[in-house]
Amino acid sequence: MRHLTLTLAALGAMIAPIMSTPAQAQLTAPMTLRDRLVVVSSISAAALAEGLTRGFAERYGETAAPILHSLPTARAVEVFCAGTGPQTPDMLVALRRMPRAMIETCNTNGVRDIIEMDLGLGAVVLAVRRGEATPALTSRQVWEALAAERHVEEEFVPNRVRAWSDISPTLPRAEIRMMVPDDASGNRALFDDLVMEAGCRNVRPIRLLFEATYRRAKCITQRTDGRATSVSMVNAPSALLTAPPGTIGVLTYEQVSNSGGNFVALSLDGVVPTAASIANFDYEQTRTVYLYAKRQHARNQQGVGVVRGIQEFLNEAASEGTTGPGGYLTSAGLVPLGPAERAAQRRVAETQTLMSR
């Protein structure tokens, strides 16, 4: 609760300057309490949320650009559900569906009219350059290769494994070299969640650790001896092209598919990432990207409400130019939904349909 209070205070501080300029607010939105949208996102969805808010601002240039605040997933949902009114956010972007317990919390706090949209799918893809070895890896093997510590004889010791074959005789006798997203990238959080933490989930010594945050740290903390190199997702394709032979890179599906055959996606946990395997969730390193909005904040027919732009933001999020094949969010790693699913989400946006859960 203390963390939530601090987060709301910080968010309020960001919104306060907007609230303190009534003359400007009167010029832009005389019947609203705020002159711009406030969006919170989970860290793992930050790149997509940034792309969406930027695209909205470019399309509606006469409107003040939205404020975006990225937080750990649980806290982002808590902040969204904290209440209604100009000091609370209007939108939430996350890679996890809001659980029923948080919907009940929302309702308790007066957030009752919630719109839920599926924007598309996010997937973590491991890839190598064309012509190089394509080992079939598991999440457990990736974790064993990159984790800062290994469990040996009842204690955790620094990870000194050098070759993939040291992890499993079925893997190449090649040096472990991986390029991973840097901490500023939303894909880093996705990689931590879907590969690193998934890879250590069934490691008994880690499961026996009592404190959840300590367990997670053992799962996602990476070695710093040069086996793993952090790069921005924007620069990842060019960095992989010039990396030493045998380097495995963490890319978005879009980066692999748009590489002109320069990159080959690796099988992970027995499944090769393709548009079909991601869309069907056969590829386990896949998550749905959700957008939530408070209909209570939208203006009514008389133009009265908390903020302008909720309808326009929903329309932008559902448009083919945003989340369809070739839409600008695909460059941030979004995998589009199928045609029927996209049409259904456009209807949700146009009618501001409330979620029925």
Side-chain angles (χ1 to χ4, degrees):
M1 181 59 71
R2 179 174 177 272
H3 288 307
L4 177 58
T5 302
L6 291 173
T7 302
L8 286 171
L11 192 60
M14 296 175 68
I15 299 173
I18 304 170
M19 302 291 292
S20 63
T21 55
Q24 179 184 3
Q26 278 193 338
L27 286 173
T28 57
M31 305 295 283
T32 57
L33 302 176
R34 219 192 312 115
D35 75 335
R36 71 186 71 192
L37 292 164
V38 176
V39 182
V40 291
S41 82
S42 63
I43 293 173
S44 55
L48 295 169
E50 288 168 7
L52 182 55
T53 55
R54 189 184 312 115
F56 171 83
E58 291 174 356
R59 183 177 297 272
Y60 299 97
E62 75 285 357
T63 303
I67 289 175
L68 174 63
H69 198 39
S70 298
L71 300 166
T73 301
R75 289 178 63 193
V77 177
E78 287 176 354
V79 169
F80 178 81
C81 286
T84 60
Q87 299 290 354
T88 66
D90 312 297
M91 307 275 189
L92 166 68
V93 182
L95 280 166
R96 295 178 184 171
R97 198 177 195 195
M98 192 183 296
R100 184 168 297 279
M102 284 310 303
I103 294 173
E104 293 173 357
T105 299
C106 270
N107 291 337
T108 299
N109 294 335
V111 185
R112 298 187 177 89
D113 294 348
I114 303 173
I115 303 161
E116 179 186 71
M117 286 178 54
D118 298 357
L119 296 183
L121 304 171
V124 173
V125 176
L126 305 186
V128 297
R129 289 188 299 245
R130 179 178 55 194
E132 297 192 346
T134 55
L137 295 170
T138 67
S139 298
R140 173 70 174 266
Q141 290 166 344
V142 174
W143 174 77
E144 289 182 357
L146 297 187
E149 295 179 330
R150 304 186 73 205
H151 191 265
V152 179
E153 296 181 353
E154 304 303 318
E155 64 178 347
F156 289 99
V157 299
N159 189 355
R160 305 297 186 197
V161 173
R162 295 177 57 87
W164 288 104
S165 55
D166 294 334
I167 296 173
S168 170
T170 64
L171 296 178
R173 298 179 65 180
E175 295 265 331
I176 294 171
R177 293 191 183 95
M178 284 198 66
M179 287 187 353
V180 299
D182 61 19
D183 290 333
S185 168
N187 282 61
R188 175 57 176 268
L190 199 60
F191 177 73
D192 287 345
D193 288 350
L194 302 184
V195 180
M196 294 294 285
E197 194 163 11
C200 80
R201 186 173 295 137
N202 295 318
V203 178
R204 189 172 184 274
I206 290 181
R207 284 195 292 112
L208 292 176
L209 297 175
F210 179 74
E211 187 180 346
T213 55
Y214 188 46
R215 285 198 306 272
R216 179 169 169 80
K218 291 294 186 186
C219 289
I220 69 172
T221 303
Q222 296 182 14
R223 57 200 297 183
T224 57
D225 58 355
R227 298 292 167 185
T229 303
S230 296
V231 297
S232 72
M233 287 307 296
V234 173
N235 297 325
S238 58
L240 184 56
L241 285 173
T242 58
T247 300
I248 296 174
V250 179
L251 304 178
T252 68
Y253 176 74
E254 186 71 13
Q255 287 170 331
V256 175
S257 61
N258 286 347
S259 71
N262 287 319
F263 300 134
V264 178
L266 301 183
S267 171
L268 189 58
D269 294 326
V271 180
V272 176
T274 64
S277 65
I278 291 171
N280 295 332
F281 286 90
D282 294 329
Y283 185 67
E284 293 182 1
Q285 288 68 36
T286 300
R287 287 290 184 273
T288 300
V289 184
Y290 292 98
L291 171 65
Y292 293 94
K294 295 175 183 174
R295 196 169 74 176
Q296 290 154 290
H297 280 197
R299 294 179 298 168
N300 60 24
Q301 291 182 346
Q302 288 72 44
V304 178
V306 171
V307 67
R308 308 170 64 198
I310 286 181
Q311 180 66 69
E312 293 80 0
F313 195 93
L314 293 174
N315 291 342
E316 176 72 8
S319 71
E320 288 291 283
T322 303
T323 50
Y328 61 77
L329 284 190
T330 60
S331 62
L334 189 78
V335 177
L337 300 170
E341 290 88 349
R342 296 199 306 275
Q345 298 311 306
R346 286 195 295 274
R347 288 192 294 272
V348 170
E350 291 164 1
T351 61
Q352 294 191 21
T353 305
L354 300 181
M355 66 180 184
S356 58
R357 294 187 289 131

